[in-house]
């Protein structure tokens, strides 16, 4: 089968006196049958090219699935007199949510069996479960399209009845007031921006709901939550560089929300309540790595804020957790998470001990104030995820659960390390690596280099049982902790966004070259992978260095940067001006045009490419990768493989089922193995 050739319809795009010609602009209409036909042809072509790997795909899927304990359950956590847990049953795709009253010895009460609810749907996502203070009602949100637009409903847990209340076009989550009948929830606008907070009374229609807050600045998004103390309902509104909060007492749902601290550009803060004070994590006074402050509940403006944990240049505060007797601060120093435990009475101040060279840890589900037990998670590239209960008083710990990897898995068969590559401007960039202990380092060794590098999001060195299929076939898996993420603190993020964005791409390229230089692999066996903004990374990198990689997997890639950022009707666009820049301003327009993958496709050789997307993607619209592939097909001068794989049923997160998504992993692996000549 010949590769599909998309027709060209010239579209002239002009801005700042600059004209761009987009021959594939027409692909942005999912209602156009020609568009659907083209995507279908690309899918058929992908299937044809990968036909020789179908048996291997099936084998990989079964292999990945076989490592997962099908009859599994989460570690129960206690909240307001009930133990809550999630269970998976053998042969079923979706979870069962349940609880037990008072004791774990008591019988299960089934809250939701998502397997039953999902019947008849190709995609089904249940989210936003919220239990009323009297434990009798539960709100839940459902998305069965994969556009991240949820309908909220209410279940009476005493009778099992779904109430008549139906709240459309929401983020899925909701918050109960203390009266057990008032709900606060977030609505989305046409661009899928969360922009309004509404109040709903049980038993009434949505048209009777009351608007309590609307965010008119389209660079901000809103959300609502309840403080851990359960005393306050808090509305937050945030942009990339600024935050603002409002609050009311949970006992007074009809009160007017009071502003905590008015927004100021470049003032970021978040709040939590404890006793007579609010605690604030903030970058106030140029604390770029954040500090912790507090203020009386009746004097919340920033002139009343008092320092609790000072700013440290070498340590980034990721977050904090408040207990009745302890404060836990999650910090990152030199790329690694530390957990600092401080007693309020100053009798204790210590760190949890972590020993591996590269790992990650983080606070788990801790809804209870009045406990000395901290629940946290721990994992590394070789260590399956553990859920650990740590007694902060006597310093004893109990592993409540370690992820069970079925089959012949032995963590001692794998080795991990962290190395530091030097970027072209002299910065040191960390790379976390894992391989099977029998995999030798040589120019023949296949290596997959993963990265993201945007939004200050850190790709943690987590364990993955799915990844074992790569490692057991001789691949090295590496994560490049490049700028644009927050691995080395806030400045690491600032140096990889806006007019510094190219650092992200150059860091990744320099990491790849360092791995080759140090003998881990060579270009014929080097592969790149990234998704969403990490897909932008892949697209930019192959324009800059088209012969550095043998193959690239670009998942739901954000590749048409200029056109998307000029279109404020698309979800996320306006809220991201402080991430990428606003191309309505000339300086940012021309800077992003210099790296935008779609705008810089040229007549030259490119590596083998597997590109995936979802027709209903709300984050990166399907037409970006579709246009990119069409343009690459037209201009590239090589005979390398170029595949576009569109899931016609899903969006940004891929398949919703527990095992269905493994088929996507198996297909990506099969593509890489095909390029390496690995047939089993």
């Amino acid at each position: 089968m010949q590769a599909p050739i998309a027709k060209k319809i010239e579209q002239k795009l002009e801005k700042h006196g600059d004209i761009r010609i987009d021959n594939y602009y027409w692909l942005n209409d999912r209602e156009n049958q020609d568009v659907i036909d083209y995507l279908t042809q690309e899918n058929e072509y992908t299937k044809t090219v990968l036909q020789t790997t179908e048996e291997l795909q099936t084998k990989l899927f079964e292999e990945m699935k076989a490592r997962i304990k099908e009859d599994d359950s989460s570690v129960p956590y206690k909240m307001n007199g009930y133990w809550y847990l999630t269970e998976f049953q053998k042969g079923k795709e979706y979870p069962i949510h349940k609880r037990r009253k008072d004791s774990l010895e008591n019988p299960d009460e089934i809250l939701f069996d998502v397997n039953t609810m999902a019947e008849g749907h190709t995609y089904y996502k249940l989210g936003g479960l919220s239990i009323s203070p009297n434990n009798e009602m539960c709100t839940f949100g459902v998305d069965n399209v994969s556009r991240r637009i949820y309908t909220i409903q209410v279940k009476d847990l005493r009778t099992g009845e779904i109430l008549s209340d139906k709240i459309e076009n929401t983020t899925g989550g909701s918050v109960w007031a203390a009266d057990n009948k008032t709900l606060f929830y977030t609505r989305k606008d046409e661009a899928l921006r969360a922009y309004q907070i509404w109040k709903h009374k049980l038993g009434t229609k949505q048209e009777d709901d009351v608007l309590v807050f609307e965010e008119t600045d389209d660079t901000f998004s809103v959300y609502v939550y309840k403080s851990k103390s359960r005393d306050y309902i808090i509305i937050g509104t945030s942009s990339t560089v600024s935050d603002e909060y409002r609050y009311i007492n949970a006992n007074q749902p009809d009160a007017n929300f009071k502003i905590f601290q008015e927004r100021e550009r470049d003032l970021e803060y978040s709040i939590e309540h404890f006793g007579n004070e609010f605690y604030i994590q903030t970058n106030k006074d140029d604390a770029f790595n954040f500090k912790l402050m507090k203020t009386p509940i009746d004097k919340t403006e920033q002139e009343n804020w008092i320092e609790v944990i000072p700013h440290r240049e070498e340590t980034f505060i990721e977050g904090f957790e408040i207990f009745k007797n302890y404060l836990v601060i999650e910090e990152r120093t030199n790329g690694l998470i530390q957990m600092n435990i401080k007693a309020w009475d100053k009798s204790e101040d210590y760190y949890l001990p972590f020993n591996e060279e590269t790992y990650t840890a983080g606070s788990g589900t801790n809804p209870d104030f009045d406990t000395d037990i901290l629940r946290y998670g721990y994992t590394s590239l070789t260590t399956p995820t553990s859920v650990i209960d740590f007694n902060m008083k006597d310093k004893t710990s109990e592993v409540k659960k370690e992820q069970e990897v079925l089959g012949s898995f032995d963590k001692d068969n794998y080795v991990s390390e962290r190395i530091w590559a030097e970027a072209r401007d002299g910065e040191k960039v960390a790379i976390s690596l894992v391989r099977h202990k029998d995999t030798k380092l040589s120019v023949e060794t296949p290596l997959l280099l993963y990265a993201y590098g945007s939004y200050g999001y850190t790709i943690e060195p987590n364990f993955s049982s799915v990844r074992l299929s790569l490692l057991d076939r001789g691949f090295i898996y590496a994560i490049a902790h490049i700028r644009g993420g927050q691995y080395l603190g806030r400045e690491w993020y600032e140096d990889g966004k806006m007019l510094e964005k190219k650092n992200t791409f150059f860091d990744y390229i320099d990491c790849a070259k360092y791995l080759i230089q140090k003998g881990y692999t060579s270009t014929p066996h080097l592969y790149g992978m990234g998704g969403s903004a990490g897909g932008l990374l892949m697209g930019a990198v192959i324009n800059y260095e088209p012969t550095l990689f043998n193959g690239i997997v670009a998942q739901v890639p954000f590749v048409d940067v200029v056109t998307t950022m000029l279109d404020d009707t698309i979800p996320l666009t306006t809220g991201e001006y402080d991430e990428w820049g606003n191309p309505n301003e000339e300086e940012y327009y021309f800077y992003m045009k210099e790296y935008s993958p779609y705008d810089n496709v040229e007549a030259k050789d490119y590596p083998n490419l597997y590109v995936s997307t979802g027709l209903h993607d709300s984050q990166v619209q399907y037409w970006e990768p579709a246009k990119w592939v069409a343009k690459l097909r037209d201009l590239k001068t090589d005979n390398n493989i170029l595949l576009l794989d569109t899931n016609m049923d899903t969006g940004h997160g891929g398949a919703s089922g527990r095992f269905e998504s493994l088929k996507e992993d198996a297909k990506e692996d099969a593509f890489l193995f095909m390029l390496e000549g690995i047939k089993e």
Side-chain angles (χ1 to χ4, degrees):
M1 179 181 175
Q2 288 291 105
I5 302 297
K7 64 184 177 183
K8 293 181 182 179
I9 302 174
E10 185 176 300
Q11 179 81 23
K12 193 175 288 187
L13 303 171
E14 185 170 356
K15 192 74 177 177
H16 305 301
D18 180 56
I19 295 174
R20 293 179 301 132
I21 302 299
D22 188 348
N23 290 319
Y24 305 104
Y25 190 87
W26 64 274
L27 283 168
N28 74 353
D29 180 9
R30 65 167 60 81
E31 304 301 320
N32 181 342
Q33 189 57 46
D34 287 350
V35 172
I36 299 300
D37 290 346
Y38 170 68
L39 296 176
T40 303
Q41 289 165 21
E42 285 284 4
N43 280 350
E44 289 170 358
Y45 176 68
T46 295
K47 186 175 174 63
T48 300
V49 173
L50 294 179
Q51 194 166 11
T52 58
T53 72
E54 283 182 0
E55 278 188 30
L56 178 56
Q57 286 182 49
T58 302
K59 180 179 180 179
L60 288 166
F61 170 74
E62 295 297 343
E63 187 179 287
M64 293 169 182
K65 185 179 176 183
R67 294 192 196 103
I68 298 171
K69 193 169 188 285
E70 291 198 51
D71 51 340
D72 201 4
S73 61
S74 64
V75 178
Y77 65 89
K78 196 170 189 182
M79 184 175 70
N80 200 20
Y82 281 84
W83 289 93
Y84 289 87
L85 65 156
T86 302
E87 180 182 275
F88 287 95
Q89 293 182 348
K90 192 173 177 65
K92 295 188 175 180
E93 288 278 350
Y94 294 96
I96 299 168
H97 299 277
K98 52 172 67 173
R99 68 179 182 178
R100 297 171 191 163
K101 189 173 184 182
D102 296 328
S103 167
L104 284 169
E105 306 306 314
N106 284 332
D108 286 338
E109 176 188 342
I110 304 295
L111 304 177
F112 300 96
D113 183 343
V114 187
N115 298 287
T116 303
M117 300 167 76
E119 286 176 4
H121 297 282
T122 53
Y123 181 93
Y124 194 89
K125 197 78 171 179
L126 179 78
L129 303 190
S130 180
I131 306 287
S132 61
N134 63 6
N135 292 313
E136 294 177 356
M137 302 283 173
C138 182
T139 57
F140 62 98
V142 171
D143 170 17
N144 52 29
V145 178
S146 189
R147 289 282 287 169
R148 301 188 183 183
I149 305 171
Y150 289 81
T151 298
I152 294 174
Q153 293 181 268
V154 185
K155 184 174 184 177
D156 187 327
L157 300 178
R158 299 164 297 181
T159 65
E161 175 193 5
I162 305 294
L163 304 187
S164 60
D165 305 67
K166 209 166 192 178
I167 308 171
E168 308 277 1
N169 195 31
T170 78
T171 58
S174 56
V175 174
W176 291 91
D179 64 0
N180 297 295
K181 64 182 182 183
T182 306
L183 286 169
F184 294 88
Y185 65 91
T186 310
R187 290 196 69 179
K188 294 187 170 187
D189 63 15
E190 290 181 357
L192 304 188
R193 176 179 69 97
Y195 79 121
Q196 292 176 332
I197 304 297
W198 288 76
K199 179 169 61 178
H200 175 82
K201 301 285 186 181
L202 278 194
T204 64
K205 295 189 182 318
Q206 185 172 3
E207 49 261 40
D208 298 325
D209 291 354
V210 176
L211 176 65
V212 295
F213 177 72
E214 179 171 0
E215 178 53 74
T216 56
D217 185 335
D218 61 8
T219 66
F220 281 73
S221 295
V222 302
Y223 46 95
V224 61
Y225 67 99
K226 188 180 275 188
S227 64
K228 183 175 175 178
S229 65
R230 303 181 196 137
D231 290 341
Y232 291 95
I233 292 166
I234 301 168
I235 293 173
T237 180
S238 297
S239 72
T240 306
V241 297
S242 179
D243 302 288
E244 182 178 80
Y245 290 88
R246 290 165 168 76
Y247 63 101
I248 58 170
N249 193 296
N251 288 306
Q252 300 170 337
D254 296 325
N256 292 322
F257 279 81
K258 180 184 176 185
I259 290 184
F260 188 92
Q261 161 61 44
E262 288 189 358
R263 69 189 68 180
E264 292 179 8
R265 183 166 177 85
D266 297 322
L267 175 64
E268 297 176 63
Y269 72 97
S270 59
I271 62 174
E272 191 50 273
H273 168 245
F274 175 53
N276 295 318
E277 294 163 316
F278 281 106
Y279 281 75
I280 308 134
Q281 180 180 331
T282 181
N283 67 348
K284 176 176 155 58
D285 303 323
D286 299 318
F288 58 84
N289 270 337
F290 289 80
K291 59 184 175 180
L292 193 63
M293 307 186 80
K294 67 179 181 180
T295 194
I297 55 175
D298 57 347
K299 294 179 180 177
T300 60
E301 296 79 12
Q302 63 173 308
E303 57 265 25
N304 302 299
W305 298 1
I306 301 166
E307 196 170 87
V308 178
I309 306 289
H311 175 252
R312 290 158 290 169
E313 288 198 6
E314 74 288 351
T315 298
F316 176 69
I317 295 180
E318 292 264 349
F320 64 99
E321 187 85 60
I322 290 176
F323 296 89
K324 181 180 178 182
N325 298 316
Y326 295 93
L327 170 66
V328 180
I329 302 115
E330 204 169 299
E331 309 172 350
R332 190 184 293 275
T333 302
N334 198 32
L336 299 178
I337 292 288
Q338 304 284 344
M339 300 187 77
N340 183 201
I341 296 170
K342 295 176 180 287
W344 290 115
D345 65 7
K346 296 190 165 52
S347 62
E348 297 277 13
D349 187 345
Y350 60 93
Y351 285 85
L352 287 181
F354 301 128
N355 302 316
E356 291 188 80
E357 186 177 351
T358 179
Y359 66 87
T360 189
S363 181
T365 304
N366 292 283
D368 194 359
F369 244 162
D370 192 7
T371 179
D372 291 333
I373 304 297
L374 166 70
R375 175 164 291 175
Y376 71 95
Y378 179 88
T379 182
S380 76
L381 291 169
T382 58
T383 307
T385 303
S386 293
V387 177
I388 300 163
D389 278 359
F390 179 78
N391 189 310
M392 295 178 280
K393 190 172 184 178
D394 65 21
K395 299 185 178 68
T396 59
S397 61
E398 179 186 359
V399 178
K400 302 299 289 186
K401 180 178 181 178
E402 181 172 287
Q403 175 189 352
E404 194 173 340
V405 183
L406 303 184
S408 57
F409 172 75
D410 179 350
K411 65 174 289 184
D412 293 333
N413 285 334
Y414 304 90
V415 293
S416 66
E417 62 177 325
R418 185 172 66 155
I419 61 175
W420 297 83
E422 185 169 331
R424 59 195 66 186
D425 63 356
E427 289 284 1
K428 298 289 188 183
V429 184
I431 309 170
S432 295
L433 303 104
V434 62
R435 59 186 167 87
H436 194 282
K437 66 179 183 181
D438 296 335
T439 298
K440 306 300 181 198
L441 306 183
S442 77
V443 294
E444 303 293 324
T445 307
L447 186 149
L448 178 61
L449 182 62
Y450 187 89
Y452 186 71
S454 291
Y455 304 110
Y457 181 73
T458 298
I459 300 296
E460 303 285 6
N462 295 326
F463 179 82
S464 166
S465 67
V466 170
R467 191 186 300 138
L468 297 175
S469 293
L470 279 170
L471 304 183
D472 290 348
R473 288 169 174 82
F475 265 76
I476 299 170
Y477 181 85
I479 302 167
H481 302 291
I482 55 182
R483 276 173 281 187
Q486 232 154 223
Y487 189 76
L488 291 179
R490 188 53 178 246
E491 288 185 312
W492 201 244
Y493 168 40
E494 298 289 343
D495 285 349
K497 69 173 189 173
M498 304 285 277
L499 297 173
E500 305 292 335
K501 188 64 213 170
K502 290 179 188 176
N503 284 336
T504 300
F505 316 134
F506 297 150
D507 281 0
Y508 184 81
I509 290 166
D510 294 343
C511 283
K513 290 181 175 179
Y514 183 81
L515 289 165
I516 291 172
Q517 176 195 333
K518 292 298 179 183
Y520 283 83
T521 189
S522 60
T523 284
H525 302 284
L526 178 62
Y527 302 92
M529 179 183 282
S532 195
L536 158 63
L537 170 68
M538 296 299 109
V541 162
I542 63 171
N543 281 331
Y544 285 121
E545 295 277 356
T547 60
L548 183 57
F549 292 83
N550 186 37
I552 293 286
V553 175
Q555 305 153 322
V556 291
F558 170 40
V559 284
D560 191 11
V561 183
V562 179
T563 305
T564 291
M565 291 305 296
L566 282 168
D567 187 351
D568 59 14
T569 68
I570 293 176
L572 300 184
T573 295
T574 53
E576 303 205 347
Y577 288 158
D578 289 314
E579 177 73 30
W580 310 101
N582 182 351
N584 292 297
E585 298 175 26
E586 199 165 321
E587 182 180 24
Y588 292 106
Y589 172 90
F590 285 105
Y591 184 80
M592 64 177 66
K593 187 188 173 189
E594 287 175 11
Y595 69 74
S596 174
Y598 183 64
D599 289 295
N600 289 284
V601 173
E602 297 174 329
K604 60 187 178 188
D605 288 2
Y606 282 93
N608 297 285
L609 277 163
Y610 174 87
V611 182
S612 63
T613 186
L615 183 63
H616 301 290
D617 197 327
S618 61
Q619 310 297 105
V620 177
Q621 307 294 327
Y622 73 88
W623 59 77
E624 292 200 38
K627 288 165 51 175
W628 183 46
V629 168
K631 190 172 182 180
L632 280 164
R633 278 212 200 290
D634 182 50
L635 290 178
K636 75 189 190 84
T637 53
D638 58 82
N639 294 315
N640 288 332
I641 297 168
L642 173 58
L643 303 177
L644 174 65
D645 193 358
T646 305
N647 190 321
M648 306 300 274
D649 296 318
T650 68
H652 201 63
S656 59
R658 186 185 183 203
F659 300 115
E660 200 61 29
S661 62
L662 296 178
K663 293 178 181 175
E664 296 167 3
D665 295 315
K667 196 182 289 188
E668 291 171 355
D669 280 6
F671 171 74
L672 297 173
F673 294 151
M674 180 174 70
L675 298 179
E676 274 297 306
I678 297 170
K679 295 186 166 57
E680 292 189 9

